[in-house]
Amino acid sequence: ALLREELEMAREFQNALLPSGYPDTSRHSDPLRLGFAHFYQPASTVGGDFFDLMELDEHRTGVLIADVMGHGARSALVTA
């Protein structure tokens, strides 16, 4: 039960690292503007994948995608 609680806390922590909102690109009329959405589901309770989006300026958004080799608690800790 203790291990299950710790894995759940790790899952909640990992989800808190993911973006909760996205840069607003709706104010641009450029037909090539990007829209963002995500669905994150690790192979086990936690995993080593991570991404973030950062508005760099009015016309640019930075995208960071990381994938730590493996899955589970070890790769989640490396990601964090």
Side-chain angles (χ1 to χ4, degrees):
L2 180 60
L3 180 58
R4 192 174 14 247
E5 287 177 24
E6 289 179 352
L7 282 173
E8 179 60 24
M9 183 172 49
R11 185 189 67 75
E12 290 172 7
F13 177 77
Q14 187 172 40
N15 283 336
L17 291 175
L18 297 174
S20 60
Y22 305 111
D24 180 16
T25 60
S26 65
R27 63 183 181 264
H28 305 297
S29 60
D30 185 346
L32 298 178
R33 75 176 180 269
L34 297 175
F36 301 101
H38 81 271
F39 175 77
Y40 181 75
Q41 183 174 7
S44 58
T45 305
V46 291
D49 300 325
F50 175 77
F51 73 96
D52 200 3
L53 301 161
M54 299 141 284
E55 185 171 348
L56 301 176
D57 62 33
E58 186 177 327
H59 301 286
R60 298 182 309 153
T61 298
V63 179
L64 169 71
I65 300 172
D67 183 0
V68 175
M69 189 167 74
H71 61 308
R74 179 177 290 178
S75 59
L77 286 171
V78 170
T79 298

